[in-house]
Amino acid sequence: QVQLVESGGGLVQAGASLRLSCAVSGLTFSAYAMGWFRQAPGKEREFVAAISIRGGDTDYADSVQGRFTISRDNAKNMVYLFMNSLQPEDTAVYYCAAPSARVVSTHDYRRSKYRWGQGTQVTVSS
């Protein structure tokens, strides 16, 4: 059974940084592209970032490009999201997502169906 467990969320002021972590089990982690989504109150869940199986290719939503960095540690089955210069509009529940079928690239990841973690709340105050 695939499990994704996010951590690292919290309440911060605008301009601060946070690092989200996602521990993944139940699949061959190094064989799957991975990513993060977020859902703000009253809004649909949206794509944030994706990373290819070896980390050589990343993809970001325009709204976080240049501020967020996704990375992975295949030895630890972990994926991370480093978030800098946080703004109130970044407030959301952040979800780690594994594709339902094995995909290796960020291009294919964006077109996948997903398995989700429980999410971690990030709140940015102005």
Side-chain angles (χ1 to χ4, degrees):
Q1 182 179 356
V2 177
Q3 287 191 317
L4 304 100
V5 180
E6 301 95 334
S7 61
L11 172 62
V12 297
Q13 290 189 329
S17 300
L18 278 176
R19 186 188 79 163
L20 305 183
S21 301
C22 176
V24 183
S25 60
L27 53 74
T28 305
F29 179 75
S30 61
Y32 287 76
M34 291 292 299
W36 290 89
F37 287 72
R38 67 186 182 185
Q39 187 167 18
K43 296 188 177 181
E44 293 188 354
R45 194 171 299 188
E46 64 175 2
F47 169 78
V48 174
I51 187 166
S52 59
I53 57 171
R54 293 186 179 88
D57 182 34
T58 55
D59 186 20
Y60 297 94
D62 289 344
S63 58
V64 307
Q65 181 77 47
R67 299 189 298 122
F68 290 12
T69 301
I70 187 171
S71 67
R72 65 189 296 160
D73 185 336
N74 286 347
K76 296 181 178 179
N77 286 14
M78 297 288 294
V79 60
Y80 305 100
L81 186 68
F82 296 84
M83 305 185 295
N84 296 316
S85 301
L86 283 162
Q87 299 302 316
E89 53 265 34
D90 295 315
T91 295
V93 177
Y94 284 72
Y95 297 92
C96 179
S100 297
R102 180 176 178 264
V103 296
V104 302
S105 71
T106 58
H107 178 271
D108 291 338
Y109 178 88
R110 293 287 298 267
R111 288 151 181 79
S112 298
K113 294 183 179 180
Y114 305 99
R115 292 173 279 200
W116 305 97
Q118 83 287 350
T120 186
Q121 176 71 46
V122 173
T123 303
V124 185
S125 63
S126 57

